[in-house]
Amino acid sequence: MAKGDFKRRMEASQRQMLEWARGRNGADELSGACTNVAVLLVIIDLFVHTTWLSVLALVLLGYSWFRITSKNVGARGLENARVIKATGPVIPFLANPVGAMRETRAYVHLSCPSCGQRVRIPRGKGKVRITCPRCHARFDGKA
């Protein structure tokens, strides 16, 4: 097989793969989290040797693949947004626990009553008047 034939076959297979992937959801935060948990369960199962952990990991991988290959992008986007909203406060602690602990010790996080924008103010300042950076509404808060 000549070098040019191999290159043409590779390009043709790449085009076919891109055409297949067009219009599909692709990887998002929820599918990535399912895959990560499945890998963690497989690692735990290497030491524990239980069938239910293997089955749970396989189900999570199947669900992740379903999400990635789904053509119903709108529904998958809504599901992903709901999960992100529900896990929003936890994500900084999982990503960087030390930094998140420093943040919570140094600042108070308040929500604007008008638009819901989260605003951080330094701890120990007492009662302060806050101007929302998004909607410019003024509200009182205690640090």
Side-chain angles (χ1 to χ4, degrees):
M1 181 163 63
K3 190 173 182 179
D5 291 341
F6 179 74
K7 187 175 179 180
R8 278 193 293 279
R9 285 185 182 179
M10 285 298 293
E11 289 172 354
S13 65
Q14 286 176 349
R15 278 194 302 275
Q16 287 176 340
M17 187 66 114
L18 287 173
E19 188 60 37
W20 177 82
R22 190 180 321 266
R24 296 188 189 269
N25 188 48
D28 56 8
E29 287 84 359
L30 183 54
S31 65
C34 288
T35 303
N36 291 339
V37 170
V39 168
L40 182 66
L41 289 176
V42 167
I43 292 171
I44 292 171
D45 190 47
L46 288 173
F47 300 105
V48 179
H49 301 295
T50 59
T51 306
W52 67 272
L53 276 178
S54 299
V55 171
L56 183 59
L58 190 61
V59 167
L60 283 171
L61 284 175
Y63 181 65
S64 177
W65 183 250
F66 162 74
R67 289 191 56 76
I68 291 169
T69 59
S70 175
K71 285 194 171 188
N72 192 350
V73 177
R76 302 296 86 78
L78 289 174
E79 293 165 358
N80 194 44
R82 280 193 299 249
V83 169
I84 289 173
K85 184 176 181 182
T87 59
V90 178
I91 297 297
F93 284 102
L94 294 176
N96 183 4
V98 174
M101 288 304 293
R102 276 192 216 122
E103 176 79 15
T104 56
R105 276 191 232 124
Y107 296 98
V108 174
H109 295 268
L110 302 173
S111 294
C112 173
S114 299
C115 67
Q117 170 74 32
R118 304 236 339 134
V119 180
R120 74 177 193 170
I121 56 173
R123 284 192 183 272
K125 296 289 183 185
K127 194 170 184 178
V128 292
R129 185 145 184 92
I130 304 156
T131 302
C132 176
R134 184 189 290 169
C135 68
H136 303 292
R138 293 181 180 233
F139 61 98
D140 293 329
K142 185 176 180 189

